[in-house]
Structure formats: C-alpha cells, structure tokens
Amino acid sequence: MDHPGPPQFAAVGDAVQLAPRDPDPEATYRWTVTEAPIASEATVGDGAVEEFVPDTPGRYRITLETPAERHHLTVRAFPSDHRPTGEGAGGAGIAGRSGYSGESGYGGRSGSARGSGGESGLVSGSGSGAREQSPEHEDGRPRVRLDAEIEGEEAVVRATPTPHPDSSRDASDLGVEFLLDDRDGVTRGDVTVGERELRIPLVAIDERVRVHGVAVGASYSVADAVSVDRLGDGDDVGVTRLNDPPAWATDATLYEIYVRGYAADDDEAETTFEALEKRLDYLEELGVDTLWLTPVLQHDGAPHGYNITDFFSIADDLGDREDYEAFVDAAHDRGMKVLFDLVLNHSARDHEWFQDAYRNPDSPYRDRYEWQESGEPGTYFDWELIANFDFTSLEVRRHLLDAADTWAAVADGFRCDMAWAVPESFWKELRERLKARDSEFLLLDETIPYIADFHEGMFDVHFDTTLYFTLRQVGRGHEPADSVLDAIEGRARSGFPDHAAFMLYLENHDETRYLVECGDDAAKAAAGALFTLPGIPMLYGGQELGQRGNRDPLAWDHAREEIRDHYDDLLALREAHPVLGSAGDLGRVDYETAGTADPDDVVAFTRESEAASYVVLLNFGSEAAVVGVDETVDATDLVSGESRAAAEGLTVEDVGVFAVAD
C-alpha cells in the first residue's frame, strides 16, 4: 500500500509526521518536497518516517518514493496565528519525544500538531481562509460537517460550517476549504466549487473519491470527510460520511471488566475466561450490551495486564486463544459486543526486544525503543516497568499493525490505551485499515484531556474526561451541579464536531470508586447523569453493586441491593426513552430550589427530540430538594414511577425525569 494517507491541514510551524503505510521494514523509502509556496525553504529528512514542518502558508506537495512507485501527499498550511488553541487542541505523541506532554501531564501539545497528509489538490469555497491578517483568537475554533449526495451526473459535496459557541462571527463569516484525496485520481481540474460546495462529475470517478474539508475563521476546524464510491461493477454510486461512529455504538451501554478480579471468586472454572463467561447471564440481565475487557495478552505479571511481553499471545494465567474466542462467541450469542484493550505505546521491559536492547547499542532491536541520555528507555510518569516504542521504526509499525490485525478478527472494537502517546499517522492508518474490512468496527480513545483533532480520521468515541472530572468536583462539593452542563457544552467549545461521540464514566480501573470519594448521595446523582446526559454510559465492574475497591476481586456476597436497584432503574429508563441518550438535544431550563436545599447541589435540564421532551433533575446533596422548573411537566417520575409533586415544584432525592406536557 505504502501511500501515506489522506490530505492534512496544519499551521505553519506544526510538525506533520510522514510515514509509509503497510510498510516493508526491508524496503527503502525516500521523501522530497516537490511543490511548495515560493517563499518556503522547508525540507524533509531522508528517513523512512520523517517530520515535515511547513514554514510558509500555502499548499505543499510531498512525494514518497517506494520500491514500486511514487505517491504524493498534500499538506495545506495555514498561518501560524490560525493554529487552534485551548482545551481540545493538540496532537498525538511523537516517537523520540518521551514524556513530551501538556500541562496535565497526559500529553497533547498546545496547538494542533497534525498527522500525515495527501495531495490531489486544494480547492476553496466561500472564501479561502488564507488571509494573512491577525485573526481574533477569542472567536475560538469553528466546526464543520460535510455531506454528499448524487444529483444527476454529479456528486455534490456540501459543507456546513458552524462558528465557535462563543464567537461573534456568523456562519456566513466562515470560509470553507476542501482537499481532494490523492489516492483517488480526481484532480482540481475535474471539479467545480460553488458557495460551500464541491461538484464532481461522476465520469471522473474511477472507484471512489474522498473529499476532506475544514471551516476557517480565526482558526481552522477539525476536518470532516466524505467518500463517493462506485458500487460493484455497475453505474450505481453511494456516499459515506467517513468520520461518523458506528450506529450501534451510539446506542451502546458499556461495561468494563477488570479481567483478573471480576470473577476471581469462581473456584470451579478451569480458566478465567470460563469464569467470565459464566457471568454473562448476569450482565445480560443487568442490561449492558458492550463489554470492555482490560488487557488479555501475555504480560510481565502485573495484574492489570498493561505491561505486555507478547502482542500475539493470550496471557497464560487467563487461558488460551481458544478460551478467549469462546468467551467472545458466548457474548455474541447474547447480543453483546466485545472491546479489546489495545496497548500500542509501549511494551513491558520484560519483552524480548527490550531485554536484548537494554544497555546494548549493537542490539538489532535498539532502534525500536526511545532512549534517554541516561541510557534508560523513554517512558511517561516515571513508570519503571515499561518502555516506549519508537514509531519512526518500520519494524515497530509493522509489528503493531500485524498485532492489531490479529485481534481485530476476534473483537468488535478496540479501546485504545494511552491514545495520546501514539502518533496520529499511525492511528489514521490503523483506522482506515480496520474500517476497510469492517465499517462497524469501533475505535475508542483514552486521551486525557480529550483532543478534538482525534475525531479526524482516528477515533469514533472519546473518553469524556471533562465530564468525568466535573462530576468528581461536583460530588466533592467543589463545583455547583450545573457545571455538568458546561462540561457537555465544552465539547463544542473544544472544537469537537457535532457528530463526535463520547463515553461517559464515573470510575474505571485507574480511579478510586466515586462513592468512596464523594459518598452515596452524590454517587446516585452522578449515576443519573451518566444515563440522562448525551453520550454513551459506561459502568466499571462492580459499580452497580456498590463495590469500594477499584481493583479488588468483586465482593459479590456484599452487593448493596439499593445501589443495584438504582442502576436497574436507570438502565431501564434509558432503554425506554432513547431521547435521553445520544440522539436527544440537551437544553438549559430555568429552575430554582425551595426550602433548605443548597441550590448548588441541584441542576435541571431538558432532553428533547421531535418525538418527546423531558426535564431531568439531579440532586447531589444529602437531603431531598424541591425544585421549581420553568416547564409544565407530568409530575410522575419516570425513574421511580411515583408522583413527585410538591407545593413549590418537584421533589428529587437524587435523579428524577419528567415528561414535558403537550
């Protein structure tokens, strides 16, 4: 395959990683800059994997020579003052820069250091956005959506730009720029551009054409993309939005299983996977439909399993591949999906490569890891048992691509560990590689804090880290309850497009249990938030039982019935009212509390669609609150089935949901 992938948008001074796809470690690859703005002096090195840094605004053509052919790649560079900034802006880790991270210590450079790109032409609509004057950065990052349809003998791609929520600009003030994908053979001369639209004659399309675009204002948006494809051998043509998550995923309810603790009480099962399989009936009854297993590969003995020693073998202490596949099949028989925890940034120091390379400059594996001047491997957070891979090594890329292929065949998606620490060019290659085989395969990123650019041809669903931290702060009493609405609205402020999907969570294997830190009352309200705010709810194994230890064996015999009942009610609620999930709109509503309840403990909001509208009340406090809302509602609480009518409004103990009257 070799071709370095889709075209990219960048800012002057940002690094664009160039890498051949599906690489042959024995082959020779060479990069050159074959087209650039007249004032540019930018060059590229002579390695197989390189970084290109544009030095002048404009369009660049980078050429990759492989043993078989030449490929071209377009990079559109905007002025440096258009660089997206603020929360949600940033890029993935770069091999050779161990520990290079943002303020949180979790990676993500300030600015939008983008991944690799492609060619076949820059075309602009409704203004090029290439103006050199200083923009008003306080306008924030815009967003864009591309849609395509067939009109007669043309494919028409239309862009819908949206200003930043706090911007003084109107949508009409935003420019739009399109890039055609080099790999598809359609050139700038084949298309026409109108007001925010691009028209492609169907006769110009061989097998497919992909169109990428950004909105441009004070800065440029996360790019969106559509594909127009020939269907079979006939003249039929179809269109696909390339960055939408699988439909099944947006309606999912996730459940994380810590594999070495979840069924540790089963003394009769021959393997851990058999013990886990015996718990599937429980999970089916609970109402979850997507399971995320913590790592199941061969490891160094640390029980969490994230320090991997063999990327192709199931861990001996869990069973073998046949046992793992039997578990997946049993989950599928119950209508459940299974997410495989994919760990690509590092290996364990017990990995055979590292054992040979450590303190051995002559090792053939030496260039497969990052190294510090001290002679120690690159790592993050002073973790002593792992070593970061160097993604400039074609051997590393080949090995990890092959591993991903192996496990994608027996999973429905990947939860991608430390996604921020792997280069964007690799994630983009992996996504296209997997989606070409199964368009419904799910990619979920763990990125803290989240990065909006990761929705550009990399991931379908993102950890909503902002909501997670906000719910913790609300539960501790450090923030008012209505800050959860700010957290949800923060997605758009961070630059995420409206079609991005988010996983909502209160806890996982890395965090203390929410009820331990914040108490039962706040925990019940926070659980309500998971099932009534836009997103995909995730429970960590034992959360629904009132489990207090985050990695301890589950205390099944000490499950708290009132906690389980609460989650049963919430799962049933979301199943019965899909508007409370990803499909419904979120709105603010005027409300006030009565009596002695602390107003900061309570938040009210609406979830609505054309079919139905609801008011949701969450109370994080320790006493029931009476809340008056500026909506006429049925006083029957859809969570409990009981009337919550009070003289001055509605009574809510933790969570209440009420239908808006017609």
Side-chain angles (χ1 to χ4, degrees), residues 248 338-341 407-408 411-415 441-444:
W248 68 264
V338 177
L339 302 186
F340 185 97
D341 208 324
W407 301 113
D412 302 291
F414 288 146
R415 178 267 185 186
F441 197 85
L442 176 68
L443 289 166
L444 165 66

Side-chain angles (χ1 to χ4, degrees), residues 43 45 68 129 271 371 388 399 477 611 661:
T43 60
T271 70
W371 298 98
N388 288 353
H399 190 77

Side-chain angles (χ1 to χ4, degrees), residues 164 179 239 248 267 296 317 336 351 359 368 432 476 495 537 545 600:
H164 187 275
L179 287 179
V239 299
W248 68 264
D267 296 325
V296 298
D317 64 319
M336 297 178 183
H351 192 286
R359 302 192 186 282
R368 302 185 189 186
E432 286 197 358
R476 296 184 191 113
L545 304 176
D600 285 347

Side-chain angles (χ1 to χ4, degrees), residues 138-280:
E138 61 270 17
D139 275 358
R141 194 174 192 185
R143 292 166 286 143
V144 75
R145 177 186 171 95
L146 300 189
D147 291 283
E149 58 185 342
I150 307 303
E151 295 183 357
E153 297 303 313
E154 292 183 313
V156 183
V157 179
R158 292 187 173 89
T160 304
T162 305
H164 187 275
D166 299 328
S167 175
S168 59
R169 299 174 189 263
D170 294 325
S172 60
D173 297 326
L174 297 173
V176 172
E177 291 204 12
F178 299 101
L179 287 179
L180 299 168
D181 203 303
D182 304 273
R183 298 168 289 178
D184 303 328
V186 178
T187 69
R188 286 173 288 167
D190 295 324
V191 305
T192 57
V193 180
E195 182 70 13
R196 295 202 174 101
E197 72 175 26
L198 180 147
R199 291 180 173 266
I200 311 164
L202 296 183
V203 296
I205 302 172
D206 185 10
E207 294 182 1
R208 71 187 307 192
V209 59
R210 285 158 286 193
V211 180
H212 309 257
V214 294
V216 187
S219 60
Y220 57 93
S221 69
V222 172
D224 198 18
V226 294
S227 180
V228 182
D229 304 272
R230 295 283 182 188
L231 304 178
D233 298 327
D235 295 329
D236 291 341
V237 178
V239 299
T240 305
R241 284 185 34 79
L242 295 176
N243 294 330
D244 282 351
W248 68 264
T250 60
D251 292 328
T253 301
L254 274 66
Y255 191 92
E256 181 191 359
I257 294 176
Y258 187 70
V259 295
R260 291 174 178 85
Y262 192 74
D265 63 322
D266 190 334
D267 296 325
E268 298 179 358
E270 293 185 6
T271 70
T272 297
F273 288 119
E274 181 185 341
L276 294 176
E277 184 176 335
K278 290 162 67 176
R279 299 291 185 187
L280 288 175

Side-chain angles (χ1 to χ4, degrees), residues 297-301 307-311 347-352:
L297 296 182
Q298 201 66 266
H299 61 105
D300 65 356
N307 305 343
I308 294 173
T309 58
D310 183 345
F311 286 81
S347 78
R349 298 196 191 191
D350 286 348
H351 192 286
E352 62 179 356

